[in-house]
Amino acid sequence: MPFPTSAGRRWLLIVLLLAAAIGAWQLSRAPQPKPATARSTPAATGPTPTDGRLRGVSWVAGDSVSSLDLEPLVRARVTWIAQTPFGWQAGAAVPEIRLQTGKGSRHYWGESDAGIVQTAKRARQRGISTLLKPHLWLRGGSGSWPGDVNMTSAADWQQWFASYSSFILHYARLAEEHQLEALCIGTELQHASVGHEQEWRTLIRQIRGVYHGQLTYAANWSGEFEQVPFWDALDFIGIQAYFPLSKTERPEKAALLRAWQEPLRRIKAIQRRFKKPVAFTEIGYKTTPDAAIEPWAWPDRMAVLTTVDEATQTACYAAMFETFWPQRWFRGLFVWKWYPGLTPDRATRRHLDFTPQHKPAEQVMTDWFGR
């Protein structure tokens, strides 16, 4: 490229100076961006709770977890997940609980210590907190559940509480080490929770000694929640809220709203007595016409002629949210349940299931979580 002459260089310099002056004048008249607000930590990419409500789902553990698995939760305005590891008890009257942290066990990676920690870490990156909610699994048959746990002697109860304390304190230490936001100290242990107040108060003090997050207990809807004597020692009252709301199939939302009034009265009475907020540690409805009759019962997957009923599931969700979300003492809920990676093309095998995913009930949940 040839170089300009001295005169040409002078004219070029003048043109450049004029161009710079015009550019500076235009920039001075343009709207100026607002200064960025300083942050002590990077902004979360997920939803940010503003009222302390638990906008939760019960997370189904799998063999891995990725940020893509969490994206549907962000869209649904979910701010909490409940993770559920298991302790194994050979029978309802056997006073020993086996702790399985994942090493050499046959359960899902997501139920292991490493899986819990990794899932919580990825969830926190999206602005989602974790309730660690250990359960007991009884090996006494398919019909067994934690509410069957009942020892036959005082000595066995003493041994059971020692074993259970080791079990739950393991998860308390895990929650503290990895800063999990809340811990559920027991689920539906109705024989243990009602008649052994001092044992639970001792255990709660031990848990408080190693864990500094929020504590709750998940009581069964059928009456246990009204008999638990140690709610005052916890941060909020937890209820597994599978209240029956109908005796007939396909109830209208108006009928469900009326049916909720008696459980609401009972829950209010406990809330006033202990002056603690209330959360539903589990609540959910099948996608079947009888969803409100026995909400705790799983659909019969072998009944090939069972009718899918999204309208009843949707009405159940709407009536529940309309009844409880406006209550100032209501802390929130965890929807049962949420399958990571469940895409619309794979959702048909879960269509009778409790999950609201890819059904109208999910939109009801999302709308109320956004309020």
Side-chain angles (χ1 to χ4, degrees):
M1 179 180 179
F3 291 96
T5 63
S6 59
R9 286 197 296 271
R10 284 195 297 271
W11 279 109
L12 179 60
L13 179 60
I14 293 170
V15 170
L16 291 174
L17 290 171
L18 284 172
I22 293 170
W25 176 78
Q26 290 176 331
L27 183 61
S28 69
R29 295 177 59 84
Q32 297 300 305
K34 296 180 181 180
T37 301
R39 296 179 183 269
S40 58
T41 56
T45 57
T48 301
T50 59
D51 58 1
R53 282 279 174 94
L54 306 172
R55 296 164 167 84
V57 297
S58 296
W59 181 263
V60 179
D63 292 327
S64 63
V65 64
S66 71
S67 58
L68 291 177
D69 293 328
L70 294 157
E71 182 59 33
L73 298 183
V74 177
R75 292 197 299 268
R77 302 185 179 125
V78 170
T79 59
W80 283 76
I81 58 171
Q83 293 198 66
T84 305
F86 286 94
W88 303 88
Q89 192 167 324
V94 177
E96 181 184 1
I97 297 160
R98 292 180 57 195
L99 174 67
Q100 296 191 4
T101 62
K103 297 177 181 179
S105 64
R106 292 179 292 178
H107 59 196
Y108 288 112
W109 168 85
E111 296 169 3
S112 69
D113 287 2
I116 290 166
V117 170
Q118 184 65 17
T119 301
K121 179 181 178 180
R122 289 194 178 277
R124 190 177 292 118
Q125 291 170 350
R126 305 310 306 271
I128 298 172
S129 302
T130 292
L131 168 68
L132 186 57
K133 189 168 177 275
H135 281 217
L136 293 186
W137 189 280
L138 301 186
R139 296 185 180 276
S142 59
S144 297
W145 66 296
D148 292 331
V149 171
N150 198 5
M151 301 299 108
T152 57
S153 69
D156 282 353
W157 270 121
Q158 185 177 10
Q159 185 179 346
W160 184 88
F161 269 103
S163 185
Y164 187 80
S165 296
S166 297
F167 163 71
I168 204 68
L169 283 167
H170 166 81
Y171 288 109
R173 295 184 184 98
L174 184 74
E176 177 71 12
E177 180 181 356
H178 298 281
Q179 297 299 292
L180 306 189
E181 290 80 1
L183 173 68
C184 183
I185 68 170
T187 299
E188 297 179 323
L189 297 165
Q190 58 186 15
H191 295 293
S193 68
V194 173
H196 302 273
E197 179 178 356
Q198 291 309 311
E199 288 90 337
W200 283 101
R201 291 191 182 276
T202 297
L203 177 56
I204 291 167
R205 285 195 295 270
Q206 291 174 330
I207 294 170
R208 295 279 193 198
V210 299
Y211 175 68
H212 298 90
Q214 302 174 68
L215 295 183
T216 191
Y217 173 85
N220 187 258
W221 64 271
S222 63
E224 183 195 4
F225 79 93
E226 295 165 294
Q227 301 176 59
V228 171
F230 50 83
W231 288 130
D232 60 291
L234 302 175
D235 296 294
F236 59 94
I237 295 168
I239 302 176
Q240 307 279 90
Y242 298 107
F243 294 90
L245 302 173
S246 179
K247 294 183 179 180
T248 61
E249 295 184 347
R250 300 182 178 87
E252 298 291 334
K253 185 179 77 170
L256 295 170
L257 287 169
R258 290 192 297 271
W260 265 121
Q261 295 312 299
E262 178 58 18
L264 175 62
R265 181 195 64 78
R266 294 165 57 194
I267 294 168
K268 277 184 175 179
I270 292 299
Q271 192 279 324
R272 286 194 296 266
R273 177 182 169 190
F274 289 97
K275 297 178 174 56
K276 296 284 185 177
V278 175
F280 292 161
T281 42
E282 282 181 24
I283 189 166
Y285 300 95
K286 310 181 285 291
T287 320
T288 58
D290 63 348
I293 298 176
E294 292 183 341
W296 61 88
W298 279 88
D300 184 359
R301 293 191 177 92
M302 301 304 293
V304 295
L305 299 180
T306 300
T307 303
V308 173
D309 189 350
E310 292 182 344
T312 295
Q313 185 191 44
T314 303
C316 289
Y317 269 73
M320 180 271 296
F321 274 106
E322 288 182 30
T323 300
F324 288 95
W325 208 255
Q327 305 293 333
R328 295 176 65 87
W329 46 261
F330 187 63
R331 184 71 187 278
L333 58 91
F334 290 84
V335 166
W336 184 266
K337 55 185 358 190
W338 190 276
Y339 297 92
L342 187 67
T343 56
D345 58 307
R346 296 170 57 194
T348 52
R349 66 184 291 264
R350 300 287 184 190
H351 218 82
L352 296 175
D353 206 334
F354 283 88
T355 180
Q357 291 166 273
H358 311 298
K359 304 171 189 176
E362 182 179 357
Q363 189 59 53
V364 174
M365 180 189 80
T366 301
D367 289 345
W368 280 96
F369 278 179
R371 302 189 186 191

